[in-house]
Amino acid sequence: MIIDTHQHFWYYNPVNHDWIDDEMAAIRRDFLPEDLKQVYKEHDITGCIAVQADQTLEENSFLLNLAHKHDFIKGVIGWVDFQSDSVQNELEYYAEMPLMKGYRHVVQGEPDNSFLLRKSFLNGISKLKNTGAVYEILVFSHQLPAVLEFIKLFPEQQFVIDHMAKPYIKEGYIDSWALLMRAIAKHENVSCKISGMITEADYKTWKTIDLMPYVNVVLEAFGPQRIVYGSDWPVCLVAGSYAQVLNVSRDFAGQLSKEERELFFYKNAQRIYTI
């Protein structure tokens, strides 16, 4: 059994998806459940978590509707404006929907490296504690100092770091990222997705051996009880196929025991996202 904790659906729009630059032109098209269902059938994937790509409430409705129609979509990570005066009402509204598993904000796109520490944002995050929802942290590695301060403020909130906080794999930088990831991992309410690696490496020349030092830091820091598998489909397609992404994770998991592999590929996801 494998649960893919990170993938996206969209009707491609050049305005909404302006982050898809010329190097990523291969994914400038629609990606819908029918596309992913065939991929999952080929690779024996049980189900997935659909993650927001647009920062709108309409995106939540879009993903939740897809999840209701396709039972392999086990949950949704949506978006609300945590700085809004209406955030409490929105969280209460979505708390009534079992398929809404959590939220994220595209913090990596914020010019302010201390965005996570804005008082208005912190106030919104504080309201999550009564909902049981996960908060996913999407940042670049240079934003990790703020992440460390952020998670310290919410010891009872379940956090998941997306894409291993996007280390600079292409450039070969690891030490400062590893130092901060180890510090963050000391907080047991934080888990990490083994995802998004091949798009942080060189799209055309990456090899599995290039990725393993980064994945092994995450394993050492978080342990097998707080890591989950994610493909980042269809974004991963700019650097490789779904099979290549899955094979990287299987190669990594070869060092784990049978019980630890089960944790990584599905049991941790079942617990974190209450599947």
Side-chain angles (χ1 to χ4, degrees), residues 92-248:
E92 289 175 0
Y93 171 73
Y94 290 117
E96 299 298 317
M97 303 180 185
L99 286 170
M100 183 64 93
K101 303 300 184 180
Y103 306 90
R104 76 168 189 174
H105 184 88
V106 185
V107 177
Q108 69 174 36
E110 295 291 343
D112 177 4
N113 283 342
S114 60
F115 176 87
L116 286 170
L117 302 176
R118 290 182 182 179
K119 288 184 179 180
S120 54
F121 190 78
L122 295 174
N123 180 61
I125 294 293
S126 71
K127 300 181 187 307
L128 274 176
K129 62 184 177 182
N130 296 323
T131 70
V134 174
Y135 182 77
E136 298 208 347
I137 300 172
L138 176 63
V139 292
F140 289 122
S141 59
H142 65 263
Q143 297 168 308
L144 282 175
V147 173
L148 179 57
E149 299 303 321
F150 174 66
I151 57 130
K152 286 179 180 178
L153 298 173
F154 302 101
E156 297 180 1
Q157 173 62 43
Q158 183 75 244
F159 293 112
V160 178
I161 295 179
D162 286 353
H163 309 324
M164 299 161 45
K166 297 198 165 188
Y168 296 117
I169 298 173
K170 182 178 180 180
E171 294 79 9
Y173 300 148
I174 190 170
D175 290 345
S176 59
W177 166 83
L179 183 68
L180 285 161
M181 289 292 277
R182 290 185 181 111
I184 289 166
K186 289 179 181 178
H187 299 265
E188 295 188 0
N189 57 317
V190 186
S191 300
C192 187
K193 290 186 184 180
I194 304 293
S195 62
M197 290 178 288
I198 68 173
T199 47
E200 297 309 312
D202 188 295
Y203 290 176
K204 296 180 180 178
T205 65
W206 68 269
K207 298 179 177 61
T208 299
I209 195 172
D210 303 329
L211 313 176
M212 286 302 106
Y214 298 88
V215 191
N216 287 334
V217 166
V218 171
L219 175 61
E220 172 207 334
F222 290 87
Q225 295 79 19
R226 290 188 287 135
I227 54 173
V228 292
Y229 164 71
S231 69
D232 198 25
W233 181 95
V235 179
C236 66
L237 300 179
V238 303
S241 66
Y242 192 96
Q244 287 176 293
V245 171
L246 182 56
N247 285 339
V248 168

Side-chain angles (χ1 to χ4, degrees), residues 12-21 28:
Y12 176 68
N13 181 303
V15 176
N16 292 349
H17 303 114
D18 59 354
W19 54 272
I20 304 177
D21 60 25
R28 283 176 172 163

Side-chain angles (χ1 to χ4, degrees), residues 36 39 51 113 159 177 202 240 255 270:
L36 187 59
V39 173
V51 180
N113 283 342
F159 293 112
W177 166 83
D202 188 295
Q255 66 186 295
Q270 288 176 323

Side-chain angles (χ1 to χ4, degrees), residues 9 11 32-34 37 61-74 76 99:
F9 299 116
Y11 288 104
L32 296 167
E34 292 75 15
K37 189 174 184 178
S61 298
F62 169 64
L63 294 177
L64 288 166
N65 285 337
L66 293 180
H68 282 294
K69 292 176 183 176
H70 301 273
D71 61 5
F72 75 91
I73 304 173
K74 305 300 184 184
V76 168
L99 286 170

